[in-house]
Amino acid sequence: AGNYAADLLPNMLGKKKGFPIGLYLDAATQSLVEEFSTSNFVGIENGPRKYVTPASPSVLPSITNKSLMTIARDEGYEVE
């Protein structure tokens, strides 16, 4: 289980401003989606049929990601 205490204050402030969940960007450049506070993030791009899980210590192994990898393979996507 993760430690979500660091998300309590930002989550509360975001909700007061009308945002239902928080979107976190990478710490190095603040230009890449790292995660959402309460849900998984999946991006779909037209082009190469490829399912990529970013190499990041912030991406936790999950049944959701494993399931999406299986579906992607079954649909003919390359899985990285």
Side-chain angles (χ1 to χ4, degrees):
N3 180 357
Y4 296 100
D7 183 52
L8 292 175
L9 180 59
N11 193 17
M12 182 183 68
L13 295 173
K15 285 184 179 183
K16 283 184 178 180
K17 292 182 178 184
F19 301 102
I21 61 173
L23 169 66
Y24 292 95
L25 302 176
D26 67 293
T29 66
Q30 295 186 353
S31 63
L32 303 170
V33 174
E34 191 78 21
E35 66 179 328
F36 285 100
S37 59
T38 60
S39 58
N40 293 299
F41 172 78
V42 176
I44 299 175
E45 178 182 347
N46 290 329
R49 294 176 58 87
K50 190 183 293 187
Y51 180 89
V52 179
T53 300
S56 168
S58 296
V59 177
L60 303 175
S62 69
I63 189 65
T64 303
N65 190 40
K66 289 178 183 177
S67 298
L68 289 171
M69 291 169 81
T70 298
I71 292 167
R73 277 191 199 96
D74 290 349
E75 293 296 319
Y77 283 71
E78 177 185 345
V79 175
E80 291 182 7

